[in-house]
Amino acid sequence: MRAPAVRPGWPADAGSVTLLSMFEHPEFDAHEMVAFVHDRAAGLSALVAIHSTALGPGFGGCRMYPYRDEAEALADVLRLSRGMTYKAAICDLPYGGGKSVILGDPRRDKTPALLHAMGRAVERFGGRYIIADDVGTSLDDLAVMRSETRHTAAATDAAKQPLPVTAWGVLNAIQAAVAHAFARSDIEGLAVAVQGLGHVGYPLCRFLRERGARLVVSDVDAARSCRAEAELAAASVPADAIYDAEADVFSPCALGGVLDDATIPRLKARLVCGGANNQLAEARHDAALAARGILYVPDYLANAGGVIDFHQESIDDRPSAVLASVARIRAITASVLVRSAATGQRPLAVADAIVAERLAAARARRRPPSA
Ligand code: NAD
């Protein structure tokens, strides 16, 4: 037997991956397919991961980012595509989980040739992967890819107008959680600490402000904090101070992995609900939050607005219909919290169990009858 093939140039530390250890990767979680896509002439190096097609084609964004190396890109694409399976399943949508990452700096390396090559790569999956925009890619980039493949999001006219669907979903999750945790039907006067004022965080602040919430915000980009102060009467704090903010709700809308051993003890909020993906540094931090009496709304439920939007576009793509559809996150969150209270299981465990039940049922329906 030959020795395991080690990809030249991959780091030798614990995060590195040999080709033969792919199936043991900590983020692998039984992915159906992981593809390495390369087009030298177009300057494209990308990974496409399809976690599950049990419920339907894998749907998920294309992230373009200057990853340190392939190992970092692989860990990211695996974690994110799994998250997409969970978002679609918890919302009972007919999609699976997929994600792609392009290795490169979008400001420097993104060219029409690269986008065409990515479109051709998506086409080769024959509809098993539907590509959407994400960090480093835009609706305009999808339009270029659409000349090569029809398996893209945002294909309708109305969908070309960017709508803050993720922020709208997070707002609805916060409203459901506030009703559950604080036994009140509005958020007026509640203090919400929002970390990150980008595509999700800023419109979320606007929605919260319109409903009378008080805002404490942080962003590493001072111009964004200043804008929130001026436009939304927000109080801004330095980036690291957001964990100490006197707030009822903490809403992480910047990076993943922010809830850890150092930050959880500092939180004043009794509720955590935000738009960032993979907010828990490790799975055990869900229990750490609960031990402090903090209710944690699963990130993949709160931030599932994008996949609901995609589904709704195929039914009725008017903005009012899309926002009404995304608002389902409120009822789904409420039902998870009710089941959590009834069973004593934490909300994340309840949501994970619902996802597992739906995936198992879908796989059972697909399994050929035994001979
Ligand atoms: P974005 O890049 O538009 O905004 C992120 C913001 O966070 C930026 O303003 C950035 O300056 C700020 N930031 C970075 N580090 C920070 C720190 N340490 N403290 C405070 N602020 C910091 O990104 P986005 O599209 O708003 O996405 C935010 C998060 O939500 C990401 O985790 C993303 O994966 C997740 N998400 C986004 C969408 C979407 O529709 N955009 C959907 C689902 C999940």
Side-chain angles (χ1 to χ4, degrees):
M1 202 166 75
R2 282 188 300 163
V6 179
R7 174 80 161 77
W10 284 29
D13 61 26
S16 68
V17 180
T18 64
L19 290 184
L20 292 185
S21 72
M22 165 72 85
F23 302 127
E24 308 303 322
H25 191 288
E27 308 292 345
F28 183 68
D29 190 42
H31 265 74
E32 286 179 13
M33 183 187 285
V34 183
F36 291 73
V37 174
H38 189 58
D39 187 320
R40 186 186 294 262
L44 175 70
S45 293
L47 300 175
V48 180
I50 300 176
H51 176 251
S52 168
T53 56
L55 293 167
F59 171 82
C62 174
R63 180 165 291 193
M64 184 164 186
Y65 188 76
Y67 291 100
R68 207 174 45 234
D69 50 38
E70 289 103 325
E72 188 186 37
L74 179 64
D76 207 28
V77 78
L78 292 175
R79 201 178 302 136
L80 290 165
S81 66
R82 176 180 184 272
M84 293 308 299
T85 298
Y86 279 64
K87 289 182 206 214
I90 195 65
C91 296
D92 212 3
L93 295 170
Y95 305 105
K99 200 86 185 182
S100 54
V101 297
I102 298 176
L103 290 83
D105 183 339
R107 285 165 303 185
R108 196 190 56 208
D109 304 324
K110 194 160 64 180
T111 61
L114 177 141
L115 295 170
H116 279 280
M118 191 65 194
R120 287 194 296 276
V122 172
E123 180 62 18
R124 287 200 291 274
F125 288 94
R128 296 180 71 199
Y129 172 55
I130 301 167
I131 193 167
D133 52 316
D134 198 89
V135 175
T137 61
S138 65
L139 295 179
D140 288 342
D141 298 335
L142 291 186
V144 177
M145 293 182 203
R146 245 188 321 276
S147 60
E148 306 286 352
T149 181
R150 63 190 171 85
H151 304 299
T152 76
T156 69
D157 279 345
K160 287 170 194 148
Q161 311 294 326
L163 264 183
V165 288
T166 304
W168 185 246
V170 176
L171 171 76
N172 276 276
I174 290 175
Q175 288 171 319
V178 163
H180 183 87
F182 304 142
R184 49 181 290 178
S185 59
D186 63 82
I187 55 174
E188 189 162 1
L190 283 184
V192 185
V194 179
Q195 180 185 46
L197 299 170
H199 291 105
V200 178
Y202 202 87
L204 173 65
C205 285
R206 212 164 0 91
F207 293 142
L208 291 166
R209 180 71 193 151
E210 285 163 6
R211 285 154 188 79
R214 290 182 291 119
L215 298 170
V216 185
V217 300
S218 73
D219 197 295
V220 288
D221 181 343
R224 295 187 177 187
S225 297
C226 289
R227 185 176 161 215
E229 283 180 332
E231 292 180 357
L232 304 172
S236 82
V237 296
D240 188 58
I242 197 75
Y243 303 109
D244 307 309
E246 293 292 342
D248 302 294
V249 182
F250 174 56
S251 187
C253 296
L255 310 168
V258 293
L259 299 167
D260 61 20
D261 294 335
T263 59
I264 290 171
R266 293 165 59 188
L267 294 178
K268 308 280 193 303
R270 282 171 53 204
L271 183 56
V272 172
C273 180
N277 283 313
N278 305 313
Q279 293 165 24
L280 301 172
E282 295 172 43
R284 67 186 172 85
H285 291 115
D286 179 40
L289 286 164
R292 286 213 52 223
I294 299 171
L295 184 71
Y296 171 65
V297 176
D299 46 11
Y300 64 79
L301 167 54
N303 70 17
V307 63
I308 301 180
D309 173 19
F310 173 70
H311 183 61
Q312 181 60 33
E313 282 166 17
S314 63
I315 302 166
D316 178 352
D317 65 1
R318 285 171 303 161
S320 58
V322 169
L323 293 178
S325 184
V326 171
R328 283 179 51 224
I329 287 177
R330 191 168 179 166
I332 299 168
T333 304
S335 71
V336 166
L337 296 178
V338 166
R339 183 160 152 184
S340 164
T343 61
Q345 286 183 301
R346 292 190 293 278
L348 181 58
V350 169
D352 283 355
I354 294 170
V355 168
E357 284 160 17
R358 289 183 178 154
L359 292 177
R363 287 188 191 113
R365 281 195 299 275
R366 282 187 178 189
R367 205 170 294 136
S370 49

